Amino acid sequence: MENRNRYENLFLIGFSGSGKSSVGKLLAKKLKFNFLDTDIKIEANLNMKINEIITRKGEDYFRKMETECLNEINYDSKMVISTGGGIPTIKENLKIMNHFGIMIWLNSTIKTIIRRLEKSKEIRPLLGEKISENEITSLFEQREKYYQLAKFSIKTDNKNLNSITEEIKNKLSKLNN
Ligand code: S3P
């Protein structure tokens, strides 16, 4: 696969609770790009909640759906895509994302992740029913090397959506120059 214009599609990657969906929506609005959230698209495709897909059909099946979802997106219009936390752990997904755009890592500390997940109503079956610092830390450590493959990263702790999206815009304008 030859790379297309690399900065036309932005894939937000990072652990659950790092702000991918909220940042993605605002960033898309500011850049006048379209917005897509892979979890929401998968739920719509299968007419099932993510939690149900993973518990009833298994993680491997869900991972296949994620790759299918990335393959189905129409990349001809400029897009900001918020991805599920496990997407960059699959080689094929990395290939697709690097082909159609760039990955931006929204990086949060474990402390922030836990605080956000405790507030969230969403059930994340891979993180267990009760938020455990040990489990989150161990999964985060397994995933970090994939998140580090991003073109650049933004620390999201204690920052509001506006400053995070402005930081991303600044970094993007430097890349484009
Ligand atoms: C997952 C993260 C979730 C969702 C699914 C699996 C993961 O998305 O895709 O529950 O493997 O980390 P968020 O990162 O939006 O929470």
Side-chain angles (χ1 to χ4, degrees), residues 73-104:
I73 295 171
N74 176 2
Y75 295 105
D76 290 336
S77 62
K78 297 178 178 185
M79 303 280 292
V80 174
I81 298 142
S82 293
T83 63
I87 278 197
T89 64
I90 305 290
K91 228 178 175 175
E92 179 65 17
N93 297 345
L94 291 171
K95 222 164 118 185
I96 300 168
M97 293 191 286
N98 284 323
H99 176 66
F100 287 107
I102 56 165
M103 296 186 285
I104 301 170

Side-chain angles (χ1 to χ4, degrees), residues 44-161:
N45 282 355
L46 299 179
N47 197 21
M48 277 165 99
K49 299 300 270 178
I50 298 295
N51 174 36
E52 223 185 325
I53 301 169
I54 296 177
T55 48
R56 284 178 41 191
K57 305 223 171 205
E59 184 180 350
D60 287 353
Y61 177 83
F62 174 66
R63 296 291 170 221
K64 288 201 180 83
M65 293 304 103
E66 287 188 311
T67 304
E68 209 166 273
C69 171
L70 289 177
N71 272 321
E72 274 173 18
I73 295 171
N74 176 2
Y75 295 105
D76 290 336
S77 62
K78 297 178 178 185
M79 303 280 292
V80 174
I81 298 142
S82 293
T83 63
I87 278 197
T89 64
I90 305 290
K91 228 178 175 175
E92 179 65 17
N93 297 345
L94 291 171
K95 222 164 118 185
I96 300 168
M97 293 191 286
N98 284 323
H99 176 66
F100 287 107
I102 56 165
M103 296 186 285
I104 301 170
W105 176 21
L106 298 192
N107 184 10
S108 301
T109 58
I110 305 285
K111 207 173 144 202
T112 303
I113 289 170
I114 290 175
R115 187 168 36 81
R116 294 222 185 104
L117 292 179
E118 276 172 349
K119 271 202 232 152
S120 161
K121 289 186 189 73
E122 225 166 284
I123 305 165
R124 289 169 167 98
L126 299 178
L127 301 181
E129 295 223 337
K130 229 183 156 308
I131 304 292
S132 136
E133 186 171 344
N134 284 345
E135 277 175 46
I136 305 262
T137 306
S138 130
L139 192 57
F140 185 91
E141 281 169 1
Q142 287 169 43
R143 298 245 173 109
E144 208 172 2
K145 62 175 184 286
Y146 300 105
Y147 297 147
Q148 281 166 346
L149 299 171
K151 186 90 182 162
F152 61 83
S153 71
I154 302 280
K155 280 265 183 202
T156 63
D157 308 278
N158 306 316
K159 287 181 190 159
N160 63 33
L161 290 180

